[in-house]
Amino acid sequence: VAPTSLVLGLVLAGSWYPLASSVMRSTTQVIGVVVGAVLGVSASILVHELAHGAVGTLVGRRPQRYVLNLLGGYTTFQVPSGERPWKDVLVSLAGPAANALIALVGRLVMGHAPVSDPVWVTLWAVTWMNIALAVFNVLPGLPLDGGHALASLVTQVTGRRQLGLKVAAWGGLVVVAGIVWRWILDPLVLHSRRPDTFSVLIVVMLGWTIGSVCVRTLGLGRGARAAARLDLRTLARPVTTVTAATPLD
């Protein structure tokens, strides 16, 4: 578990506290709802990553590490050489599918099971967060699951891995532009109001995380451009192969 995952938990708690305060009668209930919702979402993210690992195992890709971080998490795999890219598509989409299933179960429980008000509000928060996780993660941009699926799909069709990564990286920059528009520019331009602090925090967290990956993938950074201009052939020197018995003088 990366330390940045704690930041995600604090952001979720801060965003849900006002809502819980408006519907719950006591401070104890409010705290219980917020803690329950944060734990529920954390468990959902873990299930998301375990789903990646389970499908990876089914298609012959052994999971090596599960990591929870600021953006949610990621899973690393041991990929055999010569594997088909379409398997990456299945593995990538398994996580959002798991969140969609959790959201469906949550909706069924909310609609049919007799639960108390605090439990209902907690289920509501966890259900909607799983809907958001499923939808957001299938967006076609790196480093989201949808971006990895898109990159693998392009690779499967064209046989060019770098092309797939670049297409998905441009998709990620489009996602960042959409985030900036939704939470910053839309309030300013269309509604003439300042975006709230939470919206700015969301844009910084998501925009920086997604944008930095896409910039590195596309080679748009200063270091990447300098490396692209470097011709290693100008540094090469001819060598002569000699036997072990050749004297050095």
Side-chain angles (χ1 to χ4, degrees), residues 39-77:
L39 292 178
V41 171
S42 300
S44 300
I45 294 173
L46 179 59
V47 170
H48 175 112
E49 298 305 326
L50 291 175
H52 286 311
V55 174
T57 301
L58 289 176
V59 298
R61 301 188 173 191
R62 182 179 178 182
Q64 293 182 308
R65 189 183 184 194
Y66 298 98
V67 178
L68 302 183
N69 58 18
L70 180 62
L71 198 59
Y74 63 89
T75 305
T76 60
F77 295 90

PDB file of all heavy atoms in Angstrom, residues 39-77:
ATOM      1  N   LEU A  39     -13.761   2.503   3.912  1.00  0.00           N
ATOM      2  CA  LEU A  39     -13.334   1.101   3.942  1.00  0.00           C
ATOM      3  C   LEU A  39     -13.973   0.310   2.797  1.00  0.00           C
ATOM      4  O   LEU A  39     -13.323  -0.551   2.184  1.00  0.00           O
ATOM      5  CB  LEU A  39     -13.713   0.470   5.288  1.00  0.00           C
ATOM      6  CG  LEU A  39     -12.951   0.986   6.511  1.00  0.00           C
ATOM      7  CD1 LEU A  39     -13.463   0.321   7.783  1.00  0.00           C
ATOM      8  CD2 LEU A  39     -11.455   0.751   6.363  1.00  0.00           C
ATOM      9  N   GLY A  40     -15.234   0.619   2.500  1.00  0.00           N
ATOM     10  CA  GLY A  40     -15.907  -0.072   1.409  1.00  0.00           C
ATOM     11  C   GLY A  40     -15.269   0.217   0.059  1.00  0.00           C
ATOM     12  O   GLY A  40     -15.090  -0.692  -0.760  1.00  0.00           O
ATOM     13  N   VAL A  41     -14.909   1.460  -0.164  1.00  0.00           N
ATOM     14  CA  VAL A  41     -14.257   1.819  -1.424  1.00  0.00           C
ATOM     15  C   VAL A  41     -12.856   1.214  -1.491  1.00  0.00           C
ATOM     16  O   VAL A  41     -12.420   0.744  -2.548  1.00  0.00           O
ATOM     17  CB  VAL A  41     -14.213   3.353  -1.584  1.00  0.00           C
ATOM     18  CG1 VAL A  41     -13.352   3.740  -2.784  1.00  0.00           C
ATOM     19  CG2 VAL A  41     -15.613   3.908  -1.734  1.00  0.00           C
ATOM     20  N   SER A  42     -12.149   1.213  -0.363  1.00  0.00           N
ATOM     21  CA  SER A  42     -10.812   0.603  -0.336  1.00  0.00           C
ATOM     22  C   SER A  42     -10.899  -0.879  -0.688  1.00  0.00           C
ATOM     23  O   SER A  42     -10.082  -1.397  -1.469  1.00  0.00           O
ATOM     24  CB  SER A  42     -10.183   0.774   1.042  1.00  0.00           C
ATOM     25  OG  SER A  42     -10.043   2.145   1.378  1.00  0.00           O
ATOM     26  N   ALA A  43     -11.901  -1.563  -0.117  1.00  0.00           N
ATOM     27  CA  ALA A  43     -12.090  -2.976  -0.437  1.00  0.00           C
ATOM     28  C   ALA A  43     -12.454  -3.153  -1.906  1.00  0.00           C
ATOM     29  O   ALA A  43     -12.017  -4.105  -2.562  1.00  0.00           O
ATOM     30  CB  ALA A  43     -13.185  -3.570   0.456  1.00  0.00           C
ATOM     31  N   SER A  44     -13.238  -2.222  -2.448  1.00  0.00           N
ATOM     32  CA  SER A  44     -13.618  -2.299  -3.864  1.00  0.00           C
ATOM     33  C   SER A  44     -12.408  -2.150  -4.776  1.00  0.00           C
ATOM     34  O   SER A  44     -12.299  -2.834  -5.801  1.00  0.00           O
ATOM     35  CB  SER A  44     -14.650  -1.212  -4.184  1.00  0.00           C
ATOM     36  OG  SER A  44     -15.822  -1.367  -3.405  1.00  0.00           O
ATOM     37  N   ILE A  45     -11.488  -1.245  -4.410  1.00  0.00           N
ATOM     38  CA  ILE A  45     -10.268  -1.075  -5.200  1.00  0.00           C
ATOM     39  C   ILE A  45      -9.420  -2.333  -5.146  1.00  0.00           C
ATOM     40  O   ILE A  45      -8.837  -2.765  -6.150  1.00  0.00           O
ATOM     41  CB  ILE A  45      -9.480   0.151  -4.695  1.00  0.00           C
ATOM     42  CG1 ILE A  45     -10.276   1.436  -4.951  1.00  0.00           C
ATOM     43  CG2 ILE A  45      -8.116   0.229  -5.369  1.00  0.00           C
ATOM     44  CD1 ILE A  45      -9.652   2.682  -4.346  1.00  0.00           C
ATOM     45  N   LEU A  46      -9.356  -2.951  -3.955  1.00  0.00           N
ATOM     46  CA  LEU A  46      -8.599  -4.199  -3.826  1.00  0.00           C
ATOM     47  C   LEU A  46      -9.226  -5.302  -4.683  1.00  0.00           C
ATOM     48  O   LEU A  46      -8.510  -6.050  -5.372  1.00  0.00           O
ATOM     49  CB  LEU A  46      -8.550  -4.628  -2.363  1.00  0.00           C
ATOM     50  CG  LEU A  46      -7.802  -5.937  -2.072  1.00  0.00           C
ATOM     51  CD1 LEU A  46      -6.354  -5.855  -2.544  1.00  0.00           C
ATOM     52  CD2 LEU A  46      -7.873  -6.267  -0.583  1.00  0.00           C
ATOM     53  N   VAL A  47     -10.565  -5.395  -4.671  1.00  0.00           N
ATOM     54  CA  VAL A  47     -11.247  -6.390  -5.508  1.00  0.00           C
ATOM     55  C   VAL A  47     -10.970  -6.110  -6.984  1.00  0.00           C
ATOM     56  O   VAL A  47     -10.780  -7.032  -7.790  1.00  0.00           O
ATOM     57  CB  VAL A  47     -12.760  -6.377  -5.226  1.00  0.00           C
ATOM     58  CG1 VAL A  47     -13.516  -7.215  -6.250  1.00  0.00           C
ATOM     59  CG2 VAL A  47     -13.040  -6.890  -3.822  1.00  0.00           C
ATOM     60  N   HIS A  48     -10.942  -4.836  -7.344  1.00  0.00           N
ATOM     61  CA  HIS A  48     -10.618  -4.422  -8.718  1.00  0.00           C
ATOM     62  C   HIS A  48      -9.265  -5.000  -9.141  1.00  0.00           C
ATOM     63  O   HIS A  48      -9.137  -5.595 -10.219  1.00  0.00           O
ATOM     64  CB  HIS A  48     -10.604  -2.897  -8.763  1.00  0.00           C
ATOM     65  CG  HIS A  48     -10.175  -2.310 -10.065  1.00  0.00           C
ATOM     66  ND1 HIS A  48     -11.028  -1.628 -10.893  1.00  0.00           N
ATOM     67  CD2 HIS A  48      -8.964  -2.271 -10.695  1.00  0.00           C
ATOM     68  CE1 HIS A  48     -10.381  -1.217 -11.963  1.00  0.00           C
ATOM     69  NE2 HIS A  48      -9.116  -1.593 -11.862  1.00  0.00           N
ATOM     70  N   GLU A  49      -8.261  -4.835  -8.289  1.00  0.00           N
ATOM     71  CA  GLU A  49      -6.926  -5.330  -8.623  1.00  0.00           C
ATOM     72  C   GLU A  49      -6.869  -6.858  -8.602  1.00  0.00           C
ATOM     73  O   GLU A  49      -6.198  -7.471  -9.438  1.00  0.00           O
ATOM     74  CB  GLU A  49      -5.889  -4.745  -7.662  1.00  0.00           C
ATOM     75  CG  GLU A  49      -5.771  -3.229  -7.699  1.00  0.00           C
ATOM     76  CD  GLU A  49      -5.486  -2.705  -9.092  1.00  0.00           C
ATOM     77  OE1 GLU A  49      -4.773  -3.388  -9.863  1.00  0.00           O
ATOM     78  OE2 GLU A  49      -5.986  -1.618  -9.414  1.00  0.00           O
ATOM     79  N   LEU A  50      -7.567  -7.474  -7.659  1.00  0.00           N
ATOM     80  CA  LEU A  50      -7.595  -8.935  -7.607  1.00  0.00           C
ATOM     81  C   LEU A  50      -8.275  -9.511  -8.848  1.00  0.00           C
ATOM     82  O   LEU A  50      -7.918 -10.605  -9.308  1.00  0.00           O
ATOM     83  CB  LEU A  50      -8.314  -9.401  -6.343  1.00  0.00           C
ATOM     84  CG  LEU A  50      -7.581  -9.133  -5.022  1.00  0.00           C
ATOM     85  CD1 LEU A  50      -8.458  -9.545  -3.841  1.00  0.00           C
ATOM     86  CD2 LEU A  50      -6.238  -9.862  -4.979  1.00  0.00           C
ATOM     87  N   ALA A  51      -9.245  -8.785  -9.396  1.00  0.00           N
ATOM     88  CA  ALA A  51      -9.893  -9.234 -10.630  1.00  0.00           C
ATOM     89  C   ALA A  51      -8.902  -9.223 -11.787  1.00  0.00           C
ATOM     90  O   ALA A  51      -8.892 -10.146 -12.617  1.00  0.00           O
ATOM     91  CB  ALA A  51     -11.092  -8.342 -10.944  1.00  0.00           C
ATOM     92  N   HIS A  52      -8.067  -8.178 -11.845  1.00  0.00           N
ATOM     93  CA  HIS A  52      -6.991  -8.176 -12.849  1.00  0.00           C
ATOM     94  C   HIS A  52      -6.128  -9.426 -12.702  1.00  0.00           C
ATOM     95  O   HIS A  52      -5.806 -10.109 -13.684  1.00  0.00           O
ATOM     96  CB  HIS A  52      -6.098  -6.946 -12.674  1.00  0.00           C
ATOM     97  CG  HIS A  52      -6.716  -5.663 -13.137  1.00  0.00           C
ATOM     98  ND1 HIS A  52      -7.312  -5.520 -14.364  1.00  0.00           N
ATOM     99  CD2 HIS A  52      -6.790  -4.445 -12.535  1.00  0.00           C
ATOM    100  CE1 HIS A  52      -7.743  -4.272 -14.502  1.00  0.00           C
ATOM    101  NE2 HIS A  52      -7.444  -3.605 -13.401  1.00  0.00           N
ATOM    102  N   GLY A  53      -5.734  -9.720 -11.456  1.00  0.00           N
ATOM    103  CA  GLY A  53      -4.871 -10.852 -11.217  1.00  0.00           C
ATOM    104  C   GLY A  53      -5.532 -12.178 -11.546  1.00  0.00           C
ATOM    105  O   GLY A  53      -4.888 -13.087 -12.094  1.00  0.00           O
ATOM    106  N   ALA A  54      -6.824 -12.305 -11.231  1.00  0.00           N
ATOM    107  CA  ALA A  54      -7.529 -13.563 -11.490  1.00  0.00           C
ATOM    108  C   ALA A  54      -7.630 -13.837 -12.988  1.00  0.00           C
ATOM    109  O   ALA A  54      -7.356 -14.949 -13.449  1.00  0.00           O
ATOM    110  CB  ALA A  54      -8.923 -13.511 -10.866  1.00  0.00           C
ATOM    111  N   VAL A  55      -8.009 -12.821 -13.757  1.00  0.00           N
ATOM    112  CA  VAL A  55      -8.114 -13.005 -15.204  1.00  0.00           C
ATOM    113  C   VAL A  55      -6.730 -13.200 -15.808  1.00  0.00           C
ATOM    114  O   VAL A  55      -6.552 -14.003 -16.737  1.00  0.00           O
ATOM    115  CB  VAL A  55      -8.844 -11.813 -15.853  1.00  0.00           C
ATOM    116  CG1 VAL A  55      -8.829 -11.936 -17.376  1.00  0.00           C
ATOM    117  CG2 VAL A  55     -10.273 -11.732 -15.348  1.00  0.00           C
ATOM    118  N   GLY A  56      -5.733 -12.495 -15.273  1.00  0.00           N
ATOM    119  CA  GLY A  56      -4.373 -12.697 -15.748  1.00  0.00           C
ATOM    120  C   GLY A  56      -3.920 -14.138 -15.551  1.00  0.00           C
ATOM    121  O   GLY A  56      -3.278 -14.732 -16.426  1.00  0.00           O
ATOM    122  N   THR A  57      -4.254 -14.694 -14.400  1.00  0.00           N
ATOM    123  CA  THR A  57      -3.902 -16.085 -14.138  1.00  0.00           C
ATOM    124  C   THR A  57      -4.604 -17.022 -15.123  1.00  0.00           C
ATOM    125  O   THR A  57      -3.999 -17.983 -15.621  1.00  0.00           O
ATOM    126  CB  THR A  57      -4.290 -16.467 -12.697  1.00  0.00           C
ATOM    127  OG1 THR A  57      -3.597 -15.613 -11.776  1.00  0.00           O
ATOM    128  CG2 THR A  57      -3.923 -17.912 -12.405  1.00  0.00           C
ATOM    129  N   LEU A  58      -5.869 -16.733 -15.435  1.00  0.00           N
ATOM    130  CA  LEU A  58      -6.625 -17.581 -16.357  1.00  0.00           C
ATOM    131  C   LEU A  58      -6.030 -17.586 -17.767  1.00  0.00           C
ATOM    132  O   LEU A  58      -6.122 -18.592 -18.474  1.00  0.00           O
ATOM    133  CB  LEU A  58      -8.082 -17.116 -16.416  1.00  0.00           C
ATOM    134  CG  LEU A  58      -8.926 -17.382 -15.167  1.00  0.00           C
ATOM    135  CD1 LEU A  58     -10.318 -16.777 -15.326  1.00  0.00           C
ATOM    136  CD2 LEU A  58      -9.025 -18.878 -14.886  1.00  0.00           C
ATOM    137  N   VAL A  59      -5.437 -16.458 -18.174  1.00  0.00           N
ATOM    138  CA  VAL A  59      -4.879 -16.384 -19.530  1.00  0.00           C
ATOM    139  C   VAL A  59      -3.374 -16.630 -19.540  1.00  0.00           C
ATOM    140  O   VAL A  59      -2.704 -16.374 -20.543  1.00  0.00           O
ATOM    141  CB  VAL A  59      -5.202 -15.024 -20.186  1.00  0.00           C
ATOM    142  CG1 VAL A  59      -6.697 -14.829 -20.318  1.00  0.00           C
ATOM    143  CG2 VAL A  59      -4.572 -13.861 -19.407  1.00  0.00           C
ATOM    144  N   GLY A  60      -2.836 -17.102 -18.404  1.00  0.00           N
ATOM    145  CA  GLY A  60      -1.429 -17.485 -18.372  1.00  0.00           C
ATOM    146  C   GLY A  60      -0.471 -16.385 -17.979  1.00  0.00           C
ATOM    147  O   GLY A  60       0.730 -16.494 -18.264  1.00  0.00           O
ATOM    148  N   ARG A  61      -0.967 -15.346 -17.319  1.00  0.00           N
ATOM    149  CA  ARG A  61      -0.092 -14.249 -16.887  1.00  0.00           C
ATOM    150  C   ARG A  61      -0.119 -14.174 -15.367  1.00  0.00           C
ATOM    151  O   ARG A  61      -1.095 -13.713 -14.782  1.00  0.00           O
ATOM    152  CB  ARG A  61      -0.546 -12.942 -17.507  1.00  0.00           C
ATOM    153  CG  ARG A  61      -0.533 -13.034 -19.023  1.00  0.00           C
ATOM    154  CD  ARG A  61      -0.787 -11.723 -19.690  1.00  0.00           C
ATOM    155  NE  ARG A  61      -0.600 -11.853 -21.128  1.00  0.00           N
ATOM    156  CZ  ARG A  61      -0.550 -10.831 -21.954  1.00  0.00           C
ATOM    157  NH1 ARG A  61      -0.694  -9.606 -21.486  1.00  0.00           N
ATOM    158  NH2 ARG A  61      -0.365 -11.026 -23.241  1.00  0.00           N
ATOM    159  N   ARG A  62       0.930 -14.594 -14.749  1.00  0.00           N
ATOM    160  CA  ARG A  62       0.984 -14.715 -13.292  1.00  0.00           C
ATOM    161  C   ARG A  62       1.151 -13.342 -12.644  1.00  0.00           C
ATOM    162  O   ARG A  62       2.111 -12.622 -12.950  1.00  0.00           O
ATOM    163  CB  ARG A  62       2.147 -15.620 -12.903  1.00  0.00           C
ATOM    164  CG  ARG A  62       2.261 -15.858 -11.408  1.00  0.00           C
ATOM    165  CD  ARG A  62       3.432 -16.783 -11.121  1.00  0.00           C
ATOM    166  NE  ARG A  62       3.607 -16.989  -9.697  1.00  0.00           N
ATOM    167  CZ  ARG A  62       4.576 -17.717  -9.173  1.00  0.00           C
ATOM    168  NH1 ARG A  62       5.441 -18.327  -9.979  1.00  0.00           N
ATOM    169  NH2 ARG A  62       4.685 -17.855  -7.866  1.00  0.00           N
ATOM    170  N   PRO A  63       0.222 -12.950 -11.755  1.00  0.00           N
ATOM    171  CA  PRO A  63       0.382 -11.659 -11.058  1.00  0.00           C
ATOM    172  C   PRO A  63       1.551 -11.711 -10.090  1.00  0.00           C
ATOM    173  O   PRO A  63       1.771 -12.715  -9.409  1.00  0.00           O
ATOM    174  CB  PRO A  63      -0.958 -11.489 -10.324  1.00  0.00           C
ATOM    175  CG  PRO A  63      -1.505 -12.863 -10.193  1.00  0.00           C
ATOM    176  CD  PRO A  63      -1.029 -13.630 -11.387  1.00  0.00           C
ATOM    177  N   GLN A  64       2.316 -10.630 -10.039  1.00  0.00           N
ATOM    178  CA  GLN A  64       3.492 -10.565  -9.175  1.00  0.00           C
ATOM    179  C   GLN A  64       3.298  -9.630  -8.000  1.00  0.00           C
ATOM    180  O   GLN A  64       3.813  -9.869  -6.912  1.00  0.00           O
ATOM    181  CB  GLN A  64       4.713 -10.119  -9.988  1.00  0.00           C
ATOM    182  CG  GLN A  64       5.171 -11.128 -11.031  1.00  0.00           C
ATOM    183  CD  GLN A  64       6.415 -10.651 -11.761  1.00  0.00           C
ATOM    184  OE1 GLN A  64       6.465  -9.542 -12.287  1.00  0.00           O
ATOM    185  NE2 GLN A  64       7.436 -11.497 -11.803  1.00  0.00           N
ATOM    186  N   ARG A  65       2.555  -8.546  -8.221  1.00  0.00           N
ATOM    187  CA  ARG A  65       2.450  -7.536  -7.162  1.00  0.00           C
ATOM    188  C   ARG A  65       1.156  -6.747  -7.304  1.00  0.00           C
ATOM    189  O   ARG A  65       0.769  -6.391  -8.409  1.00  0.00           O
ATOM    190  CB  ARG A  65       3.650  -6.582  -7.235  1.00  0.00           C
ATOM    191  CG  ARG A  65       3.763  -5.617  -6.066  1.00  0.00           C
ATOM    192  CD  ARG A  65       4.929  -4.682  -6.288  1.00  0.00           C
ATOM    193  NE  ARG A  65       5.139  -3.801  -5.160  1.00  0.00           N
ATOM    194  CZ  ARG A  65       5.912  -2.719  -5.177  1.00  0.00           C
ATOM    195  NH1 ARG A  65       6.565  -2.415  -6.298  1.00  0.00           N
ATOM    196  NH2 ARG A  65       6.061  -1.954  -4.108  1.00  0.00           N
ATOM    197  N   TYR A  66       0.490  -6.507  -6.169  1.00  0.00           N
ATOM    198  CA  TYR A  66      -0.685  -5.654  -6.127  1.00  0.00           C
ATOM    199  C   TYR A  66      -0.330  -4.398  -5.333  1.00  0.00           C
ATOM    200  O   TYR A  66       0.171  -4.485  -4.214  1.00  0.00           O
ATOM    201  CB  TYR A  66      -1.860  -6.354  -5.447  1.00  0.00           C
ATOM    202  CG  TYR A  66      -2.329  -7.611  -6.141  1.00  0.00           C
ATOM    203  CD1 TYR A  66      -1.917  -8.867  -5.707  1.00  0.00           C
ATOM    204  CD2 TYR A  66      -3.196  -7.546  -7.226  1.00  0.00           C
ATOM    205  CE1 TYR A  66      -2.345 -10.021  -6.338  1.00  0.00           C
ATOM    206  CE2 TYR A  66      -3.635  -8.691  -7.865  1.00  0.00           C
ATOM    207  CZ  TYR A  66      -3.211  -9.928  -7.419  1.00  0.00           C
ATOM    208  OH  TYR A  66      -3.643 -11.071  -8.042  1.00  0.00           O
ATOM    209  N   VAL A  67      -0.596  -3.227  -5.907  1.00  0.00           N
ATOM    210  CA  VAL A  67      -0.239  -1.958  -5.272  1.00  0.00           C
ATOM    211  C   VAL A  67      -1.465  -1.048  -5.239  1.00  0.00           C
ATOM    212  O   VAL A  67      -2.162  -0.887  -6.244  1.00  0.00           O
ATOM    213  CB  VAL A  67       0.905  -1.253  -6.035  1.00  0.00           C
ATOM    214  CG1 VAL A  67       1.224   0.092  -5.385  1.00  0.00           C
ATOM    215  CG2 VAL A  67       2.153  -2.132  -6.060  1.00  0.00           C
ATOM    216  N   LEU A  68      -1.739  -0.461  -4.068  1.00  0.00           N
ATOM    217  CA  LEU A  68      -2.780   0.549  -3.930  1.00  0.00           C
ATOM    218  C   LEU A  68      -2.096   1.905  -3.790  1.00  0.00           C
ATOM    219  O   LEU A  68      -1.197   2.065  -2.976  1.00  0.00           O
ATOM    220  CB  LEU A  68      -3.654   0.273  -2.701  1.00  0.00           C
ATOM    221  CG  LEU A  68      -4.357  -1.086  -2.661  1.00  0.00           C
ATOM    222  CD1 LEU A  68      -5.237  -1.185  -1.418  1.00  0.00           C
ATOM    223  CD2 LEU A  68      -5.166  -1.316  -3.921  1.00  0.00           C
ATOM    224  N   ASN A  69      -2.539   2.884  -4.594  1.00  0.00           N
ATOM    225  CA  ASN A  69      -1.894   4.192  -4.581  1.00  0.00           C
ATOM    226  C   ASN A  69      -2.918   5.298  -4.749  1.00  0.00           C
ATOM    227  O   ASN A  69      -4.126   5.085  -4.592  1.00  0.00           O
ATOM    228  CB  ASN A  69      -0.805   4.276  -5.658  1.00  0.00           C
ATOM    229  CG  ASN A  69      -1.352   4.008  -7.045  1.00  0.00           C
ATOM    230  OD1 ASN A  69      -2.560   4.091  -7.285  1.00  0.00           O
ATOM    231  ND2 ASN A  69      -0.481   3.679  -7.983  1.00  0.00           N
ATOM    232  N   LEU A  70      -2.451   6.504  -5.085  1.00  0.00           N
ATOM    233  CA  LEU A  70      -3.300   7.682  -5.169  1.00  0.00           C
ATOM    234  C   LEU A  70      -4.404   7.533  -6.211  1.00  0.00           C
ATOM    235  O   LEU A  70      -5.544   7.954  -6.003  1.00  0.00           O
ATOM    236  CB  LEU A  70      -2.443   8.914  -5.493  1.00  0.00           C
ATOM    237  CG  LEU A  70      -3.169  10.256  -5.624  1.00  0.00           C
ATOM    238  CD1 LEU A  70      -3.841  10.618  -4.312  1.00  0.00           C
ATOM    239  CD2 LEU A  70      -2.196  11.349  -6.038  1.00  0.00           C
ATOM    240  N   LEU A  71      -4.089   6.919  -7.344  1.00  0.00           N
ATOM    241  CA  LEU A  71      -5.069   6.776  -8.418  1.00  0.00           C
ATOM    242  C   LEU A  71      -5.962   5.559  -8.224  1.00  0.00           C
ATOM    243  O   LEU A  71      -6.906   5.365  -8.954  1.00  0.00           O
ATOM    244  CB  LEU A  71      -4.354   6.675  -9.769  1.00  0.00           C
ATOM    245  CG  LEU A  71      -5.192   6.941 -11.024  1.00  0.00           C
ATOM    246  CD1 LEU A  71      -5.794   8.333 -10.976  1.00  0.00           C
ATOM    247  CD2 LEU A  71      -4.371   6.746 -12.278  1.00  0.00           C
ATOM    248  N   GLY A  72      -5.696   4.767  -7.222  1.00  0.00           N
ATOM    249  CA  GLY A  72      -6.459   3.554  -6.980  1.00  0.00           C
ATOM    250  C   GLY A  72      -5.520   2.391  -6.754  1.00  0.00           C
ATOM    251  O   GLY A  72      -5.365   1.899  -5.645  1.00  0.00           O
ATOM    252  N   GLY A  73      -4.848   1.959  -7.838  1.00  0.00           N
ATOM    253  CA  GLY A  73      -3.894   0.882  -7.702  1.00  0.00           C
ATOM    254  C   GLY A  73      -3.475   0.325  -9.044  1.00  0.00           C
ATOM    255  O   GLY A  73      -3.930   0.775 -10.092  1.00  0.00           O
ATOM    256  N   TYR A  74      -2.589  -0.656  -9.008  1.00  0.00           N
ATOM    257  CA  TYR A  74      -2.194  -1.347 -10.230  1.00  0.00           C
ATOM    258  C   TYR A  74      -1.664  -2.725  -9.864  1.00  0.00           C
ATOM    259  O   TYR A  74      -1.324  -3.001  -8.707  1.00  0.00           O
ATOM    260  CB  TYR A  74      -1.147  -0.567 -11.018  1.00  0.00           C
ATOM    261  CG  TYR A  74       0.171  -0.357 -10.312  1.00  0.00           C
ATOM    262  CD1 TYR A  74       1.200  -1.292 -10.422  1.00  0.00           C
ATOM    263  CD2 TYR A  74       0.392   0.784  -9.543  1.00  0.00           C
ATOM    264  CE1 TYR A  74       2.417  -1.114  -9.780  1.00  0.00           C
ATOM    265  CE2 TYR A  74       1.600   0.971  -8.891  1.00  0.00           C
ATOM    266  CZ  TYR A  74       2.602   0.024  -9.017  1.00  0.00           C
ATOM    267  OH  TYR A  74       3.804   0.207  -8.369  1.00  0.00           O
ATOM    268  N   THR A  75      -1.620  -3.604 -10.868  1.00  0.00           N
ATOM    269  CA  THR A  75      -1.146  -4.971 -10.698  1.00  0.00           C
ATOM    270  C   THR A  75      -0.062  -5.242 -11.724  1.00  0.00           C
ATOM    271  O   THR A  75      -0.214  -4.900 -12.898  1.00  0.00           O
ATOM    272  CB  THR A  75      -2.300  -5.977 -10.897  1.00  0.00           C
ATOM    273  OG1 THR A  75      -3.376  -5.644 -10.014  1.00  0.00           O
ATOM    274  CG2 THR A  75      -1.833  -7.400 -10.613  1.00  0.00           C
ATOM    275  N   THR A  76       1.038  -5.811 -11.286  1.00  0.00           N
ATOM    276  CA  THR A  76       2.107  -6.180 -12.215  1.00  0.00           C
ATOM    277  C   THR A  76       2.040  -7.680 -12.490  1.00  0.00           C
ATOM    278  O   THR A  76       1.626  -8.467 -11.629  1.00  0.00           O
ATOM    279  CB  THR A  76       3.484  -5.817 -11.654  1.00  0.00           C
ATOM    280  OG1 THR A  76       3.688  -6.511 -10.413  1.00  0.00           O
ATOM    281  CG2 THR A  76       3.589  -4.316 -11.416  1.00  0.00           C
ATOM    282  N   PHE A  77       2.473  -8.068 -13.700  1.00  0.00           N
ATOM    283  CA  PHE A  77       2.373  -9.454 -14.133  1.00  0.00           C
ATOM    284  C   PHE A  77       3.702  -9.954 -14.678  1.00  0.00           C
ATOM    285  O   PHE A  77       4.521  -9.170 -15.158  1.00  0.00           O
ATOM    286  CB  PHE A  77       1.311  -9.605 -15.235  1.00  0.00           C
ATOM    287  CG  PHE A  77      -0.093  -9.308 -14.789  1.00  0.00           C
ATOM    288  CD1 PHE A  77      -0.604  -8.017 -14.886  1.00  0.00           C
ATOM    289  CD2 PHE A  77      -0.900 -10.318 -14.281  1.00  0.00           C
ATOM    290  CE1 PHE A  77      -1.897  -7.742 -14.472  1.00  0.00           C
ATOM    291  CE2 PHE A  77      -2.197 -10.046 -13.874  1.00  0.00           C
ATOM    292  CZ  PHE A  77      -2.694  -8.759 -13.967  1.00  0.00           C
TER     293      PHE A  77
END
